[in-house]
Amino acid sequence: MKSMITDHLPQALERIHDHIPIAMNVLLPMALKTALPGNMNQVAGQAVANKVTPFIQDQVYPAVVDRLVPEDVRYEIARKKSLQECSDARKTSRRKHESSED
């Protein structure tokens, strides 16, 4: 079970992180439109997009992940990600070397 979690969790966490701005841009204007009068909702929406969304992605989301995902699982994910990046770098290096020989 732990292996299955560590295999799929990194992709899930990355997708969630990448979709935070999309969710904020869809849901927030609807909420602000009902709460604020006139064009204030557009100004508030832009402020949220510029300030709140990056804060959520950079500060809140990592803190939530740290609290919810056990430390040993995070280490295993980091180890697998590092191995994958190393493998990808080797493949890229080989391709560059092979193309320079041609």
Side-chain angles (χ1 to χ4, degrees):
M1 179 68 149
K2 182 179 169 184
S3 176
M4 187 176 88
I5 291 171
T6 58
D7 287 344
H8 297 290
L9 193 60
Q11 293 88 3
L13 294 175
E14 285 181 29
R15 292 190 88 187
I16 291 169
H17 182 270
D18 293 344
H19 285 81
I20 288 172
I22 296 168
M24 296 289 285
N25 289 335
V26 170
L27 299 175
L28 201 58
M30 289 188 287
L32 293 175
K33 193 174 197 178
T34 60
L36 299 173
N39 289 339
M40 290 180 66
N41 63 349
Q42 293 173 348
V43 174
Q46 289 174 348
V48 167
N50 292 334
K51 302 288 183 186
V52 176
T53 301
F55 176 76
I56 289 173
Q57 283 185 299
D58 297 339
Q59 302 292 322
V60 176
Y61 183 72
V64 169
V65 170
D66 286 348
R67 288 187 140 208
L68 295 178
V69 180
E71 188 175 23
D72 60 326
V73 173
R74 284 185 278 134
Y75 283 139
E76 183 65 20
I77 290 169
R79 186 185 69 79
K80 286 184 178 184
K81 188 174 183 177
S82 177
L83 290 172
Q84 182 63 41
E85 288 172 355
C86 183
S87 174
D88 292 345
R90 285 184 186 154
K91 289 176 186 176
T92 302
S93 177
R94 277 191 216 130
R95 282 188 217 129
K96 285 182 181 178
H97 182 69
E98 288 171 358
S99 65
S100 67
E101 288 178 351
D102 293 339

